[in-house]
Amino acid sequence: MIDLLTTHEKLRILIGAFERHGKQLYIVGGSVRDVLLRREHIDIDLATDARPELVKALVAEVQPEAIYTVGERFGTIGAIVDGYVLEITTFRSERYKPYSRKPTVTFGTSLEGDLSRRDFTINAIAQNPITGELFDPFDGLGDITARVIRAVGMPDERFGEDPLRMLRAIRFASQLGFDIEAETAKAIGRNHRKLRLVSQERITDEVNKILASPSPGRGIRLLCDLKLMEFIIPEFLELRGTQSDEYHHKDVFEHTLIVLDRVPADLRLRWAALLHDIAKPATKVIADGEVHFYGHDVVGAEMARVILMRMRLPRETTDIVRKLVSMHQRVNLYESSWTDGAVRRLLRDADDEIGLLLSLSRADITSRRPRKVEYALSQLLELEDRIKSLVEQEEVKAIKSPLDGNDLMAIFHRPPGPWIRDVKDLLLSKVLDGELAPDDKETAQRFAQEFLNRARL
Ligand code: ATP
Ligand code: MG
């Protein structure tokens, strides 16, 4: 980060301009933390004692590619300089409550004061961009080495000021694979109810970051252990202690976290993994000494829809997750005895989501009892092979009924109505099963006639 600041012409001039005006300028926050962790960090966060008007003027002098002033009221000027996204924020002194109706920002003059109002020690390290010297009054470096998230100052106070920090702690724990320091964790457990003060949008944003992180299972476990989940997805808490069927040797909660960690880091898949068994507690029945979860996929799909609407996820994501939850059992239950028609039906129903569905199933079945995994995996590979060869042979998605609605109305002299759909479904089904050629209108008409007679439609 330092190197790039001094090797890029405009950045170098900008840093020099602050110096000339007798202003302090430090790299802070995530930029310093991520460089110390050898993680990529694209933005450069900077802090200064210069007021926003001066920052704006100094930035404008180097003719940046862009300048953003939306955050000016809160002391932040954004800019793109030499292709880098800079956020330069004026030191703050007083602590403020971002969720209160009138957040008041008081600008400060000291770096230490600014660092003391940051959330966690690992985020409260500053670095001089010219000398590389670190300012680390809260031993953030020690906590980076020990891999812990620790609140700056008194944790209860800090979470009281801004309850979003409780979620941020867990988000950093799953992004970085760190533990939350014991006192900080206890304070989250004590203050969890304050999460109600945080907007749904910001909660969802953090939960998405947890799910997209390298260790989503760690984050979800922490959300439950530290009770924040009560205000996010209370339904999820029911999975704890729900003993699963004979396939799963752990409870549904533990199984879900393993599946979650095993699916690729695609947000749709992560949400589907999180919610795939959400209806197991609600559908559990014991019959003849065996546990069953009849219809947990269908009920689960509806629960997933309700949960994701509440989370205000985009409609498209919600639809895909709902579909993956509703179809996950179908892939899991694949048997070699399936006809090509059955495989084609699965393909058509899954449509563009077939790849995601197979990924989800792979993670799901490999989380079973070890001795069952080998068989389940070989079945999945077989299904994948059959799908591949079917797709190569034919354009399964393009298969249609040989007769469309207009043909049917003309042939049978009937008005439009639900009968058309029934007949088309029947014909499509015959084509998928290979009993009817897609262009054989004559046989199609015969099948349709028989069906209408039989159904007395
Ligand atoms: P990333 O951008 O990778 O999510 P970050 O640490 O840069 O991580 P930002 O949200 O960009 O996080 O915030 C930049 C810095 O501002 C943080 O490192 C932290 O020092 C401070 N900060 C952000 N949000 C808060 C908050 N709610 N309370 C206190 N300090 C905060
Ligand atoms: Mg950042």
Side-chain angles (χ1 to χ4, degrees):
M1 193 84 32
I2 301 258
D3 293 348
L4 74 88
L5 286 180
T6 44
T7 51
H8 286 71
E9 183 71 15
K10 285 184 181 179
L11 287 173
R12 204 165 38 105
I13 295 173
L14 183 61
I15 294 168
F18 277 83
E19 225 189 353
R20 259 202 331 281
H21 281 79
K23 294 298 175 194
Q24 309 171 52
L25 184 69
Y26 295 95
I27 313 170
V28 285
S31 313
V32 179
R33 178 199 68 218
D34 286 346
V35 169
L36 293 171
L37 279 165
R38 294 187 173 60
R39 271 177 105 229
E40 199 180 331
H41 193 104
I42 348 164
D43 322 341
I44 306 178
D45 307 326
L46 295 154
T48 179
D49 58 345
R51 294 303 166 96
E53 309 88 76
L54 179 60
V55 173
K56 210 163 47 175
L58 296 182
V59 170
E61 264 175 35
V62 300
Q63 296 181 330
E65 291 97 292
I67 184 156
Y68 306 102
T69 55
V70 283
E72 184 167 0
R73 209 156 57 88
F74 305 103
T76 302
I77 300 294
I80 301 182
V81 179
D82 289 336
Y84 290 92
V85 180
L86 308 186
E87 281 206 347
I88 310 178
T89 305
T90 303
F91 290 160
R92 290 178 189 150
S93 59
E94 260 167 52
R95 293 181 176 159
Y96 65 103
K97 299 188 174 179
Y99 61 87
S100 69
R101 260 195 232 137
K102 285 187 201 148
T104 46
V105 179
T106 326
F107 296 132
T109 49
S110 99
L111 173 65
E112 174 137 10
D114 181 85
L115 295 177
S116 73
R117 50 151 292 282
R118 293 177 180 265
D119 48 7
F120 304 109
T121 60
I122 61 166
N123 290 343
I125 310 174
Q127 186 171 32
N128 182 315
I130 298 166
T131 63
E133 197 185 344
L134 292 182
F135 294 88
D136 184 15
F138 305 102
D139 193 23
L141 198 53
D143 286 337
I144 286 181
T145 312
R147 305 177 66 79
V148 293
I149 312 288
R150 181 196 310 271
V152 170
M154 306 294 285
D156 287 290
E157 231 173 74
R158 306 315 309 282
F159 294 135
E161 283 166 6
D162 179 4
L164 179 72
R165 291 174 187 154
M166 300 190 284
L167 270 184
R168 283 174 57 90
I170 293 175
R171 188 251 290 187
F172 287 122
S174 34
Q175 282 180 331
L176 306 175
F178 281 21
D179 286 325
I180 300 183
E181 176 273 327
E183 289 310 313
T184 302
K186 279 190 221 154
I188 296 177
R190 281 192 295 268
N191 289 277
H192 72 285
R193 286 187 192 82
K194 299 193 177 121
L195 193 67
R196 275 187 291 211
L197 298 164
V198 178
S199 74
Q200 184 59 55
E201 203 181 6
R202 301 183 85 181
I203 292 178
T204 298
D205 208 38
E206 293 296 329
V207 174
N208 279 338
K209 285 181 181 170
I210 290 171
L211 288 178
S213 77
S215 317
R218 174 192 289 260
I220 297 298
R221 183 186 298 282
L222 282 167
L223 287 179
C224 296
D225 286 351
L226 302 180
K227 306 194 214 157
L228 297 174
M229 197 58 116
E230 285 173 27
F231 304 103
I232 307 173
I233 310 171
E235 298 91 331
F236 194 80
L237 296 168
E238 304 293 317
L239 301 189
R240 245 186 185 159
T242 296
Q243 204 51 47
S244 204
D245 54 14
E246 54 131 358
Y247 293 128
H248 302 111
H249 45 305
K250 304 187 175 72
D251 69 5
V252 182
F253 177 81
E254 295 299 332
H255 164 76
T256 296
L257 296 193
I258 296 173
V259 178
L260 183 59
D261 279 339
R262 278 194 189 164
V263 291
D266 174 310
L267 208 47
R268 300 164 300 178
L269 267 179
R270 291 277 168 92
W271 271 111
L274 186 75
L275 300 177
H276 77 287
D277 280 345
I278 192 72
K280 279 202 166 170
T283 56
K284 181 172 171 169
V285 288
I286 299 174
D288 306 326
E290 276 186 46
V291 188
H292 297 279
F293 304 95
Y294 296 118
H296 82 272
D297 41 5
V298 179
V299 179
E302 178 55 17
M303 287 177 74
R305 189 185 66 78
V306 170
I307 290 167
L308 297 187
M309 299 250 300
R310 203 168 67 212
M311 299 290 295
R312 307 226 181 96
L313 251 69
R315 180 63 189 267
E316 204 192 342
T317 313
T318 303
D319 286 347
I320 291 175
V321 174
R322 190 181 47 78
K323 182 164 165 185
L324 294 174
V325 174
S326 86
M327 292 188 71
H328 80 278
Q329 272 304 83
R330 247 169 97 183
V331 177
N332 290 355
L333 295 176
Y334 167 77
E335 286 295 337
S336 305
S337 58
W338 278 24
T339 61
D340 281 351
V343 178
R344 285 193 194 99
R345 244 173 234 113
L346 170 73
L347 255 177
R348 281 182 65 97
D349 292 347
D351 202 14
D352 289 340
E353 279 68 62
I354 186 71
L356 295 175
L357 191 61
L358 292 167
S359 287
L360 175 62
S361 184
R362 174 180 296 266
D364 195 7
I365 61 182
T366 53
S367 309
R368 293 177 178 177
R369 256 186 233 282
R371 64 184 174 83
K372 304 241 179 192
V373 169
E374 205 177 324
Y375 173 73
L377 257 183
S378 72
Q379 288 296 102
L380 185 68
L381 285 175
E382 182 183 296
L383 174 62
E384 284 174 343
D385 274 352
R386 288 183 67 183
I387 289 176
K388 225 161 115 198
S389 62
L390 279 177
V391 171
E392 275 163 17
Q393 276 169 34
E394 51 199 296
E395 202 31 81
V396 175
K397 273 207 275 181
I399 294 178
K400 281 201 202 112
S401 156
L403 301 172
D404 67 15
N406 289 329
D407 297 337
L408 291 170
M409 287 189 285
I411 294 169
F412 296 106
H413 309 290
R414 281 165 174 259
W419 67 277
I420 293 181
R421 200 207 174 117
D422 293 340
V423 174
K424 277 172 65 184
D425 281 352
L426 168 89
L427 297 178
L428 177 65
S429 170
K430 298 262 182 213
V431 175
L432 292 173
D433 283 331
E435 293 171 25
L436 174 65
D439 52 358
D440 186 352
K441 290 183 191 283
E442 218 169 291
T443 313
Q445 184 171 339
R446 191 161 50 74
F447 278 131
Q449 184 69 66
E450 281 168 17
F451 175 78
L452 289 171
N453 292 347
R454 214 172 37 244
R456 284 193 243 284
L457 283 169

